[in-house]
């Protein structure tokens, strides 16, 4: 009986010690399950252009420093996580990741990424 009690107390102590990791893992698992089911988090004002610049999400073609200089009050880049995921997964620059993301959005909406024209067979152009 004493052995079972000692094992139970040991497990409780381990859970208490690793509670932060357990909480983060459960939160990540819940987020993945929600994405799998088609749920997405609503946009928040948690981001900022400063954090976007620190994360490397700026370039000479897409300069976020001008937003800081003009004291832009928006929350930062939209879909920042998706762009960072593309950068990491495909090992591309920020500009290339933005292009890949935009091309995916166009394809998803049945638009040819090369021409910008709809792929709908009923589309008529003059």
């Amino acid at each position: 009986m004493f052995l079972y009690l000692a094992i139970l107390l040991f497990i409780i102590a381990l859970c208490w010690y690793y509670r932060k990791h357990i909480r983060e893992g459960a939160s990540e698992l819940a987020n993945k399950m929600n994405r799998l089911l088609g749920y997405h988090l609503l946009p928040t004002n948690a981001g900022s252009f400063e954090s976007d610049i620190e994360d490397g999400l700026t370039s000479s073609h897409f300069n976020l420093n001008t937003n800081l200089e003009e004291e832009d009050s928006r929350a930062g880049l939209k879909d920042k996580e998706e762009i960072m995921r593309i950068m990491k997964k495909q090992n591309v620059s920020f500009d290339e990741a933005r292009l890949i993301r935009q091309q995916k959005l166009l394809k998803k909406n049945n638009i040819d990424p090369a021409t910008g024209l709809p792929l709908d067979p009923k589309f008529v152009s003059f």
Side-chain angles (χ1 to χ4, degrees), residues 29-45:
L29 180 65
N31 287 339
K32 286 182 179 181
M33 183 59 81
N34 285 338
R35 276 189 239 117
L36 180 68
L37 295 173
Y39 296 110
H40 300 283
L41 295 175
L42 293 174
T44 63
N45 292 335

Side-chain angles (χ1 to χ4, degrees), residues 54-121:
E54 290 171 3
D55 290 335
L57 302 178
T58 187
S59 69
S60 59
H61 300 288
F62 193 83
N63 191 355
L64 292 179
N65 289 319
T66 55
N67 295 64
L68 290 177
E69 293 167 2
E70 295 173 1
E71 298 179 5
D72 195 336
S73 63
R74 293 179 291 171
L77 294 178
K78 182 181 176 187
D79 299 326
K80 167 183 174 176
E81 293 81 17
E82 183 179 358
I83 294 172
M84 290 177 67
R85 187 174 31 247
I86 293 170
M87 288 172 65
K88 183 182 274 187
K89 189 174 184 180
Q90 299 184 13
N91 197 23
V92 295
S93 69
F94 172 62
D95 289 327
E96 292 173 31
R98 285 180 38 239
L99 177 63
I100 291 168
R101 180 186 164 276
Q102 191 61 34
Q103 288 174 342
K104 284 182 183 178
L105 284 174
L106 290 172
K107 286 179 185 177
K108 181 181 175 183
N109 291 309
N110 205 21
I111 298 173
D112 182 22
T115 62
L117 295 174
L119 296 173
D120 188 359

Side-chain angles (χ1 to χ4, degrees), residues 10-28:
F10 181 72
I11 291 172
I12 291 172
L14 278 176
C15 290
W16 181 81
Y17 184 75
Y18 291 107
R19 68 188 180 275
K20 182 178 178 185
H21 299 291
I22 293 170
R23 192 176 330 127
E24 289 173 358
S27 176
E28 184 67 27

